[in-house]
Amino acid sequence: MTPLLGLAARSAWNRRFVLGLVLLSIALSTLLLLGIERIRQDVRASFAQAVSGTDLIVGARTGPVQLLLYSVFRIGNASNNIRYSSALQLAQHPAVAWMVPLSLGDSHRGFAVLGTTGDYFRHFRHGDRQPLACAQGRPFADAAGGSASSLFEAVLGAEVAQRLGYRVGTRIVLSHGDGAFQANDHGDKPFTVVGILAPTGTPVDRTVHISLPAMQALHLDWMAGAPLPGLRVSAEAAAQQDLTPRSITAVLLGLKSRAAVFSLQREVAAFRDEPLLAILPGVALDELWAVVGLGERGLQAMSALVAVVSVAGLMAVVLAGLNERRRELAILRAVGAGPRQVWLLLALEGGLVTAAGVLLGTLAQLAAVALLGGWVQARLGITLRLAPPGAPEWALIGALLAGGWLASLVPGWRAYRLSLADGLSPRV
């Protein structure tokens, strides 16, 4: 077996240019298959870890996926707000350890603006229950009243700061709604950037964070989504007002014991003061993934098709080279090689080329994650983990190796059928 393996390696090296192209094709298909699998796993992990320390999300009664999308991923709009007094009631529940209010609706140059409290920086978790951390500066002041300078402070997500070129000390103007109309700018109440968060790979990176009182102060002279004519409340005057919000978008709840999550969810559903909905983030994320999983399966099918084409190319190259190698194979038969040994020789050649291509593609995938992981996180918000192949990747690698070896059996079977006389007297 060992001499035959050496002979197969030397024969493949003798035709290294053509087989090198096939090897490159297999390597690219392996890179595509493993790359899509890595992206699929990490995107799913990013979805699941966008809010990892929250037990319940409470908002107005709507669909679970819709509540998750606008409260966590800043996609879409709330069908209705909830009263801030209701949020305070939930915070007093014996099973609740902490409550973080969320107020959405404004934007800054395409990025969502989130009004919240200092508890957001203390209790919000992402990834593997990692807390938020400031790469620069500090969180905003968490107190109403006082000066306008301490009220109108903003903390930027990493992607906001990177894309817009902001740094600590930059003054920014927020817009009402999606900012489509310049007339909706809150130009009379500019904010000062006091902190920039470290990258998280979650929607936090694409969010401008302000205090809940500051969100209320922005809209003192607004009503029904439009500025009140003839009424202007200056920033200094707004800082002296009662800035307790009347309504917010949603709340994040952390419980003292996860065993109470279902009982509290039922209590929220039966809340008397207003219709509320409480969702478990993990369950809603599974529902959301079931919706977007169709595109994932489409990408997997495309990469599998590329792999099939590469394996078919290997078979075609070996088959096409048989006519040129008939004398070589006949000589092997003449010196004592049996038909099965010729068959095994060609199968080993195909297996070596496939194994080398799969190895090259696997190493290329690991190198791509190592070199491009930071760029992908900065540009696309996807955290790619540099990790050895897991069970799904090993299954793909095994399928590629088996496919390449099985494809090489076809030309081996054809060589097996060639007679010694036909090899020594080729047709012209």
Side-chain angles (χ1 to χ4, degrees), residues 263-286:
S263 61
L264 182 58
Q265 187 180 30
R266 289 191 295 269
E267 289 185 42
V268 171
F271 198 71
R272 293 184 178 181
D273 292 350
E274 61 177 322
L276 298 178
L277 172 69
I279 64 171
L280 280 72
V283 175
L285 282 166
D286 287 340

Side-chain angles (χ1 to χ4, degrees), residues 206-283:
R206 301 181 292 277
T207 304
V208 177
H209 305 83
I210 63 175
S211 68
L212 208 57
M215 179 69 83
Q216 181 70 15
L218 284 178
H219 302 94
L220 288 175
D221 46 11
W222 286 64
M223 182 175 289
L228 292 170
L231 177 62
R232 281 285 180 232
V233 179
S234 68
E236 290 295 341
Q240 307 304 319
Q241 303 289 324
D242 178 12
L243 299 177
T244 303
R246 298 184 183 87
S247 64
I248 56 175
T249 305
V251 295
L252 308 179
L253 295 180
L255 306 185
K256 297 175 182 177
S257 171
R258 294 204 58 143
V261 66
F262 294 109
S263 61
L264 182 58
Q265 187 180 30
R266 289 191 295 269
E267 289 185 42
V268 171
F271 198 71
R272 293 184 178 181
D273 292 350
E274 61 177 322
L276 298 178
L277 172 69
I279 64 171
L280 280 72
V283 175

Side-chain angles (χ1 to χ4, degrees), residues 368-389:
V369 172
L371 295 175
L372 301 177
W375 181 87
V376 170
Q377 181 174 11
R379 296 289 181 178
L380 305 177
I382 301 173
T383 302
L384 297 180
R385 296 178 295 109
L386 182 61

